[in-house]
Amino acid sequence: MLQPTRLEQRIDTAARRWLASAPTTGFRAGLVEFGVFVAKQAWACLFGALLLVAIILVRTLSPSDLALTRNDLLTLIAIAIQVLMLVTRLEAGRELWVIMLFHVVGTAMELFKTDVGSWQYEAEGILRIAGVPLFSGFMYAAVGSYLVRVYRLFDLTFTRYPPVWMTAIVAALIYANFFTHHWIADFRWLLTALVVVLWGTTIMHARVWRRRIRLPVILVFVGAAGFIWIAENIGTITGAWLYPNQIDGWQLVSLSKLSSWFLLMIISVVLVTFVYPPRKEKSSASAKADTEDQSAA
């Protein structure tokens, strides 16, 4: 099991005391499990949630005569959030490598996509590369932060997880397609089919409170893509970035973007496996033996 941070250990200890008398069966027990699930998800989303709140506040409330441009202010806030999470040990140094990798991968895509006109940012500020403000890289890092934290908080294990080398090849093809589809055919549906073939039978096992739940990984990917799409709509409402059809007035981000975010999740998950290799779910006999050993200790 991956070790929680010190703060997470203190929170876990307090939560166990508070929930010690919670029912173990029935409807109320289900409510407790659901509440813990939501709380863990919220904790895992901490970096992304703070960044999204910063985007909303800066884009809607910052005064026009502010010395810093809004994009530069957002970049500085994003850096402050990242430093705070490291100083308070909410993220381990090992996890920082994944997050930095997300920065590089995300910023490279941003530079290309803004150059070909897929979306655009305000041309303001000095903390940017070409037309891409540096805070945009932190939005990709927020996805990486969520994945490494959720992996630890839910003690994730998997049944029938595909070979990592195969997933790496598919992720590389997906990443390349984000660029090459501007010149040749868009192979996203073929790539989606490959994803379904690879992960279609994979089951994720997650520890909530007293129970471990089983979820098809494909549904998890779809759910995560949906939440990113919602966050993207919030970001574009504030004008942090805009798609071409939103220049003359905001419109809902196209539902077709869900397929893009679904494929982006594959890239994200594969990047995380480079630091946290997917662990196999133990058999019932092995799990029972471990429980007996812990009880004896």
CSV table of all heavy atoms in Angstrom, one decimal, residues 102-134:
chain,number,residue,atom,x,y,z
A,102,PHE,N,3.8,16.3,-16.9
A,102,PHE,CA,2.6,16.9,-17.4
A,102,PHE,C,2.7,18.3,-17.9
A,102,PHE,O,2.1,18.7,-18.9
A,102,PHE,CB,1.5,16.8,-16.3
A,102,PHE,CG,0.7,15.5,-16.2
A,102,PHE,CD1,1.3,14.4,-15.6
A,102,PHE,CD2,-0.5,15.4,-16.8
A,102,PHE,CE1,0.7,13.2,-15.5
A,102,PHE,CE2,-1.2,14.2,-16.7
A,102,PHE,CZ,-0.6,13.1,-16.1
A,103,HIS,N,3.5,19.1,-17.2
A,103,HIS,CA,3.8,20.5,-17.7
A,103,HIS,C,4.4,20.5,-19.1
A,103,HIS,O,3.9,21.2,-19.9
A,103,HIS,CB,4.8,21.1,-16.7
A,103,HIS,CG,4.1,21.9,-15.6
A,103,HIS,ND1,3.6,23.2,-15.8
A,103,HIS,CD2,3.9,21.6,-14.3
A,103,HIS,CE1,3.1,23.6,-14.6
A,103,HIS,NE2,3.3,22.7,-13.7
A,104,VAL,N,5.4,19.6,-19.2
A,104,VAL,CA,6.1,19.6,-20.5
A,104,VAL,C,5.2,19.1,-21.6
A,104,VAL,O,5.1,19.8,-22.7
A,104,VAL,CB,7.4,18.7,-20.4
A,104,VAL,CG1,8.0,18.5,-21.8
A,104,VAL,CG2,8.4,19.3,-19.4
A,105,VAL,N,4.5,18.0,-21.4
A,105,VAL,CA,3.6,17.4,-22.4
A,105,VAL,C,2.5,18.4,-22.7
A,105,VAL,O,2.1,18.6,-23.9
A,105,VAL,CB,3.0,16.1,-21.9
A,105,VAL,CG1,1.9,15.6,-22.8
A,105,VAL,CG2,4.2,15.0,-21.8
A,106,GLY,N,1.9,19.0,-21.7
A,106,GLY,CA,0.8,19.9,-21.9
A,106,GLY,C,1.2,21.2,-22.6
A,106,GLY,O,0.5,21.7,-23.5
A,107,THR,N,2.3,21.8,-22.2
A,107,THR,CA,2.7,23.0,-22.8
A,107,THR,C,3.1,22.9,-24.2
A,107,THR,O,2.8,23.7,-25.1
A,107,THR,CB,3.9,23.6,-22.0
A,107,THR,OG1,3.5,23.9,-20.6
A,107,THR,CG2,4.4,24.9,-22.6
A,108,ALA,N,3.7,21.7,-24.6
A,108,ALA,CA,4.0,21.5,-26.0
A,108,ALA,C,2.7,21.4,-26.8
A,108,ALA,O,2.7,22.0,-27.9
A,108,ALA,CB,4.8,20.2,-26.1
A,109,MET,N,1.7,20.8,-26.3
A,109,MET,CA,0.4,20.7,-27.0
A,109,MET,C,-0.2,22.1,-27.1
A,109,MET,O,-0.8,22.5,-28.2
A,109,MET,CB,-0.5,19.7,-26.3
A,109,MET,CG,-1.8,19.5,-27.1
A,109,MET,SD,-3.0,18.4,-26.2
A,109,MET,CE,-2.0,16.9,-26.2
A,110,GLU,N,-0.1,22.9,-26.0
A,110,GLU,CA,-0.7,24.2,-26.0
A,110,GLU,C,-0.1,25.1,-27.1
A,110,GLU,O,-0.7,25.8,-27.8
A,110,GLU,CB,-0.6,24.9,-24.7
A,110,GLU,CG,-1.5,24.3,-23.6
A,110,GLU,CD,-2.9,24.8,-23.7
A,110,GLU,OE1,-3.1,25.9,-24.2
A,110,GLU,OE2,-3.8,24.0,-23.4
A,111,LEU,N,1.3,25.0,-27.2
A,111,LEU,CA,2.0,25.8,-28.2
A,111,LEU,C,1.5,25.5,-29.6
A,111,LEU,O,1.3,26.4,-30.4
A,111,LEU,CB,3.5,25.6,-28.0
A,111,LEU,CG,4.1,26.3,-26.8
A,111,LEU,CD1,5.6,25.7,-26.6
A,111,LEU,CD2,4.2,27.8,-27.0
A,112,PHE,N,1.4,24.2,-29.9
A,112,PHE,CA,1.0,23.8,-31.2
A,112,PHE,C,-0.5,24.2,-31.5
A,112,PHE,O,-0.8,24.8,-32.5
A,112,PHE,CB,1.2,22.3,-31.4
A,112,PHE,CG,0.7,21.8,-32.7
A,112,PHE,CD1,1.4,21.9,-33.8
A,112,PHE,CD2,-0.6,21.2,-32.8
A,112,PHE,CE1,1.0,21.5,-35.1
A,112,PHE,CE2,-1.1,20.7,-34.0
A,112,PHE,CZ,-0.3,20.9,-35.2
A,113,LYS,N,-1.4,23.9,-30.5
A,113,LYS,CA,-2.8,24.1,-30.7
A,113,LYS,C,-3.2,25.6,-30.9
A,113,LYS,O,-4.0,25.9,-31.7
A,113,LYS,CB,-3.6,23.5,-29.6
A,113,LYS,CG,-3.6,21.9,-29.6
A,113,LYS,CD,-4.4,21.4,-30.8
A,113,LYS,CE,-4.6,19.9,-30.7
A,113,LYS,NZ,-5.3,19.3,-31.8
A,114,THR,N,-2.5,26.4,-30.1
A,114,THR,CA,-2.8,27.8,-30.2
A,114,THR,C,-2.2,28.4,-31.6
A,114,THR,O,-2.8,29.3,-32.2
A,114,THR,CB,-2.2,28.6,-29.1
A,114,THR,OG1,-0.8,28.3,-28.9
A,114,THR,CG2,-2.9,28.3,-27.8
A,115,ASP,N,-1.1,27.8,-32.0
A,115,ASP,CA,-0.5,28.3,-33.3
A,115,ASP,C,-1.4,27.9,-34.5
A,115,ASP,O,-1.5,28.7,-35.4
A,115,ASP,CB,0.8,27.6,-33.4
A,115,ASP,CG,1.6,28.1,-34.7
A,115,ASP,OD1,1.8,29.4,-34.7
A,115,ASP,OD2,1.9,27.3,-35.6
A,116,VAL,N,-2.1,26.8,-34.4
A,116,VAL,CA,-3.0,26.4,-35.5
A,116,VAL,C,-4.4,26.9,-35.3
A,116,VAL,O,-5.3,26.7,-36.2
A,116,VAL,CB,-3.0,24.9,-35.7
A,116,VAL,CG1,-1.7,24.3,-36.1
A,116,VAL,CG2,-3.6,24.2,-34.5
A,117,GLY,N,-4.7,27.6,-34.2
A,117,GLY,CA,-6.0,28.3,-34.0
A,117,GLY,C,-7.0,27.4,-33.4
A,117,GLY,O,-8.2,27.8,-33.5
A,118,SER,N,-6.7,26.3,-32.7
A,118,SER,CA,-7.7,25.5,-32.1
A,118,SER,C,-8.3,26.2,-30.9
A,118,SER,O,-9.5,26.0,-30.7
A,118,SER,CB,-7.0,24.2,-31.6
A,118,SER,OG,-6.5,23.4,-32.7
A,119,TRP,N,-7.6,27.0,-30.2
A,119,TRP,CA,-8.1,27.9,-29.2
A,119,TRP,C,-7.1,29.0,-29.0
A,119,TRP,O,-6.0,29.0,-29.5
A,119,TRP,CB,-8.4,27.1,-27.9
A,119,TRP,CG,-7.3,26.4,-27.3
A,119,TRP,CD1,-6.2,26.9,-26.5
A,119,TRP,CD2,-7.0,25.0,-27.3
A,119,TRP,NE1,-5.4,26.0,-26.1
A,119,TRP,CE2,-5.8,24.8,-26.6
A,119,TRP,CE3,-7.7,23.9,-27.9
A,119,TRP,CZ2,-5.3,23.5,-26.5
A,119,TRP,CZ3,-7.1,22.6,-27.8
A,119,TRP,CH2,-6.0,22.4,-27.1
A,120,GLN,N,-7.5,30.0,-28.2
A,120,GLN,CA,-6.6,31.1,-28.0
A,120,GLN,C,-6.7,31.7,-26.6
A,120,GLN,O,-7.7,31.6,-25.9
A,120,GLN,CB,-6.9,32.2,-29.0
A,120,GLN,CG,-8.2,32.9,-28.8
A,120,GLN,CD,-8.4,34.0,-29.9
A,120,GLN,OE1,-8.3,33.7,-31.1
A,120,GLN,NE2,-8.9,35.2,-29.5
A,121,TYR,N,-5.6,32.4,-26.2
A,121,TYR,CA,-5.6,33.1,-24.9
A,121,TYR,C,-5.4,34.6,-25.2
A,121,TYR,O,-5.1,35.0,-26.3
A,121,TYR,CB,-4.4,32.7,-24.0
A,121,TYR,CG,-4.4,31.2,-23.6
A,121,TYR,CD1,-3.9,30.2,-24.4
A,121,TYR,CD2,-5.0,30.9,-22.4
A,121,TYR,CE1,-3.9,28.9,-24.0
A,121,TYR,CE2,-5.1,29.5,-22.0
A,121,TYR,CZ,-4.5,28.6,-22.8
A,121,TYR,OH,-4.6,27.2,-22.4
A,122,GLU,N,-5.7,35.4,-24.2
A,122,GLU,CA,-5.5,36.8,-24.3
A,122,GLU,C,-4.0,37.1,-24.5
A,122,GLU,O,-3.1,36.5,-23.8
A,122,GLU,CB,-5.9,37.6,-23.1
A,122,GLU,CG,-7.4,37.7,-22.9
A,122,GLU,CD,-7.9,38.5,-21.7
A,122,GLU,OE1,-7.0,38.8,-20.9
A,122,GLU,OE2,-9.0,38.8,-21.6
A,123,ALA,N,-3.6,38.0,-25.4
A,123,ALA,CA,-2.2,38.3,-25.7
A,123,ALA,C,-1.7,39.3,-24.7
A,123,ALA,O,-1.5,40.5,-25.0
A,123,ALA,CB,-2.0,38.8,-27.1
A,124,GLU,N,-1.5,38.9,-23.4
A,124,GLU,CA,-1.1,39.8,-22.4
A,124,GLU,C,-0.1,39.1,-21.5
A,124,GLU,O,-0.1,37.9,-21.4
A,124,GLU,CB,-2.3,40.3,-21.6
A,124,GLU,CG,-3.0,39.2,-20.9
A,124,GLU,CD,-4.1,39.6,-20.0
A,124,GLU,OE1,-4.6,40.8,-20.1
A,124,GLU,OE2,-4.6,38.9,-19.1
A,125,GLY,N,0.7,39.9,-20.8
A,125,GLY,CA,1.6,39.3,-19.8
A,125,GLY,C,3.0,39.0,-20.4
A,125,GLY,O,3.2,38.9,-21.6
A,126,ILE,N,3.9,38.8,-19.5
A,126,ILE,CA,5.3,38.4,-19.8
A,126,ILE,C,5.6,37.0,-19.5
A,126,ILE,O,6.6,36.4,-20.0
A,126,ILE,CB,6.3,39.4,-19.2
A,126,ILE,CG1,6.2,39.3,-17.7
A,126,ILE,CG2,6.1,40.8,-19.7
A,126,ILE,CD1,7.3,40.1,-16.9
A,127,LEU,N,4.8,36.4,-18.6
A,127,LEU,CA,5.1,35.0,-18.2
A,127,LEU,C,4.3,34.1,-19.2
A,127,LEU,O,3.3,33.4,-18.8
A,127,LEU,CB,4.6,34.8,-16.7
A,127,LEU,CG,5.2,35.6,-15.7
A,127,LEU,CD1,4.7,35.4,-14.3
A,127,LEU,CD2,6.8,35.4,-15.7
A,128,ARG,N,4.9,34.0,-20.3
A,128,ARG,CA,4.3,33.2,-21.4
A,128,ARG,C,5.3,32.8,-22.4
A,128,ARG,O,6.4,33.3,-22.5
A,128,ARG,CB,3.1,33.9,-22.1
A,128,ARG,CG,3.5,35.2,-22.8
A,128,ARG,CD,2.3,36.0,-23.2
A,128,ARG,NE,2.6,37.3,-23.8
A,128,ARG,CZ,2.7,37.6,-25.1
A,128,ARG,NH1,2.5,36.6,-25.9
A,128,ARG,NH2,3.0,38.7,-25.5
A,129,ILE,N,5.0,31.7,-23.2
A,129,ILE,CA,5.8,31.3,-24.3
A,129,ILE,C,5.0,31.5,-25.5
A,129,ILE,O,3.9,30.9,-25.7
A,129,ILE,CB,6.2,29.8,-24.1
A,129,ILE,CG1,7.0,29.6,-22.8
A,129,ILE,CG2,7.1,29.4,-25.3
A,129,ILE,CD1,7.3,28.2,-22.5
A,130,ALA,N,5.5,32.3,-26.4
A,130,ALA,CA,4.7,32.7,-27.6
A,130,ALA,C,3.3,33.2,-27.1
A,130,ALA,O,3.2,34.1,-26.3
A,130,ALA,CB,4.6,31.5,-28.6
A,131,GLY,N,2.2,32.6,-27.6
A,131,GLY,CA,0.9,33.1,-27.2
A,131,GLY,C,0.3,32.2,-26.0
A,131,GLY,O,-0.9,32.3,-25.8
A,132,VAL,N,1.1,31.5,-25.4
A,132,VAL,CA,0.6,30.6,-24.3
A,132,VAL,C,1.1,31.0,-22.9
A,132,VAL,O,2.3,31.0,-22.6
A,132,VAL,CB,1.1,29.1,-24.6
A,132,VAL,CG1,0.6,28.2,-23.4
A,132,VAL,CG2,0.7,28.6,-25.9
A,133,PRO,N,0.2,31.5,-22.1
A,133,PRO,CA,0.5,31.9,-20.7
A,133,PRO,C,1.0,30.6,-19.9
A,133,PRO,O,0.4,29.5,-20.1
A,133,PRO,CB,-0.8,32.5,-20.2
A,133,PRO,CG,-1.8,31.9,-21.0
A,133,PRO,CD,-1.3,31.7,-22.3
A,134,LEU,N,1.9,30.8,-19.0
A,134,LEU,CA,2.5,29.7,-18.3
A,134,LEU,C,1.5,29.0,-17.4
A,134,LEU,O,1.7,27.8,-17.0
A,134,LEU,CB,3.8,30.1,-17.6
A,134,LEU,CG,4.9,30.6,-18.5
A,134,LEU,CD1,6.1,30.9,-17.6
A,134,LEU,CD2,5.3,29.5,-19.5
